[in-house]
Amino acid sequence: MLVLLPPSEGKANAVEGAPLEPGSLSLPGLSAAREAVLGELVELCSGDPDKAREVLGLSEGLRGEVAKNAGLRTAGARPAGEIYTGVLYDALGLATLDAGARRRAADSLLVFSGLWGAVRVTDRIPSYRCSMGVRLPGLGALAGHWRTPMAEVLPAAAGDGLVLDLRSSAYAAAWKPKGEVAGRTATVRVLHAPTRKVVSHFNKATKGRIVRGLLTSGAAPENPAELVEALRELGYTVEAEAPGKAGRAWALDVLVDEIH
C-alpha cells in the first residue's frame, strides 16, 4: 500500500541536525527537479524579501519564512515525519506509533511537497515554506514543473498494490495516477454525515486517524475494495463508488457524525 499525503503549511523548526543531503532523499529520479526548485527558491529568498513574500504568498507576519528559505542549504534537517505538523499529522501521531506501525509508515507514506516533489517520512529535510501553488520566476507553476518527473517516477513507487490518495487538489495536480495504477487507486473525501459537507479541519483530522488506524491495525488491503472492508472493520461508515471506466480511480466517502 502506498499512501499519498499532503504536507502541512506549518512546519517544525529544524534548528538542530546535520544539513540536508539532497542525494539521500528517496525517489532519486526526482533529484534534478528538486535541485531546480531548491536553487530557484534560495535565490529568490536571498534577494528582495518583499518580492519573495509576494511570490510565496506570505503575509508580513511570515517574513521570517523568507530568511529560512534563503538558508535551506545549510539549515539543520530532521525526518520529514517530524517536520510536518498540523491537524492531519497531529491525528496521525507518527511519534507515538509502535515499532511495527512505524516500519509500515516508513514503507507506505509519501508526502507531496512543492519543494521536494515527494518524500518519505524518514527522509531528512529542513523546515521550509513553499506550497505547490507557488509560481517561481524561473520555473513557473510548481505543479506543472513536477508533472513530468512525477509521471516517470511515481508508477514504480506505487508498485502493484493499493494507492490511497489523501492529497488536497493542489498537490494532486502534480501527479494523477493513470491507466492500470489508477484502477487500484482510491481517493477519499471525509463528509460530515448530517450535512454531507466537507469541513476542512475535520476532514484533515479524520484522514490522519484513518492512516493511523490502518498502520496500527496492520491492515494490508491490496486494492480499493479491500480498503473499503478494512475501513469498515475500523468502524468507519464508507460509501464507495467503483470507476465506471478503466483508468479511473475509486471514489470513497467516509461519513462521520461528529466534528472534532
Side-chain angles (χ1 to χ4, degrees):
M1 177 174 65
L2 183 68
V3 182
L4 312 181
L5 296 174
S8 59
E9 187 170 325
K11 299 171 185 69
N13 192 4
V15 293
E16 297 180 356
L20 168 73
E21 296 180 10
S24 71
L25 297 178
S26 301
L27 306 177
L30 299 178
S31 294
R34 286 170 176 151
E35 179 57 36
V37 180
L38 180 60
E40 283 281 335
L41 185 60
V42 169
E43 180 178 358
L44 171 69
C45 293
S46 298
D48 183 345
D50 291 324
K51 178 184 177 181
R53 282 199 304 109
E54 180 181 357
V55 170
L56 297 174
L58 302 178
S59 66
E60 174 64 32
L62 293 173
R63 179 177 287 271
E65 299 295 303
V66 174
K68 180 191 293 185
N69 283 347
L72 282 172
R73 293 192 186 276
T74 57
R78 289 161 55 186
E82 298 177 16
I83 293 293
Y84 293 115
T85 60
V87 176
L88 188 154
Y89 291 91
D90 286 347
L92 172 53
L94 287 168
T96 62
L97 294 175
D98 62 36
R102 284 199 300 273
R103 285 193 297 271
R104 289 188 284 276
D107 291 340
S108 63
L109 304 188
L110 198 62
V111 184
F112 276 62
S113 162
L115 174 53
W116 313 115
V119 293
R120 302 283 186 184
V121 292
T122 51
D123 285 334
R124 295 179 64 260
I125 59 173
S127 183
Y128 67 96
R129 194 73 169 230
C130 184
S131 72
M132 190 65 80
V134 164
R135 298 180 64 92
L136 290 175
L139 293 178
L142 288 179
H145 170 76
W146 285 113
R147 208 163 284 139
T148 296
M150 288 282 195
E152 295 171 351
V153 171
L154 266 293
D160 57 4
L162 169 70
V163 178
L164 173 54
D165 190 351
L166 301 178
R167 297 172 296 167
S168 56
S169 58
Y171 291 90
W175 181 60
K176 182 179 180 180
K178 294 183 178 180
E180 178 270 332
V181 179
R184 48 188 168 84
T185 296
T187 63
V188 173
R189 292 190 308 174
V190 180
L191 303 179
H192 182 217
T195 63
R196 299 193 70 85
K197 292 182 178 179
V198 175
V199 181
S200 179
H201 180 285
F202 164 60
N203 172 59
K204 293 174 183 177
T206 303
K207 286 180 176 178
R209 294 187 192 104
I210 284 172
V211 177
R212 183 180 179 89
L214 292 170
L215 294 173
T216 57
S217 70
E222 296 182 357
N223 55 58
E226 291 184 9
L227 172 65
V228 172
E229 294 308 310
L231 293 178
R232 287 173 177 164
E233 289 178 6
L234 289 171
Y236 290 100
T237 300
V238 183
E239 296 178 353
E241 181 180 347
K245 297 181 179 180
R248 301 279 182 88
W250 284 55
L252 275 56
D253 285 343
V254 175
L255 306 179
V256 186
D257 290 327
E258 297 181 2
I259 297 178
H260 58 88

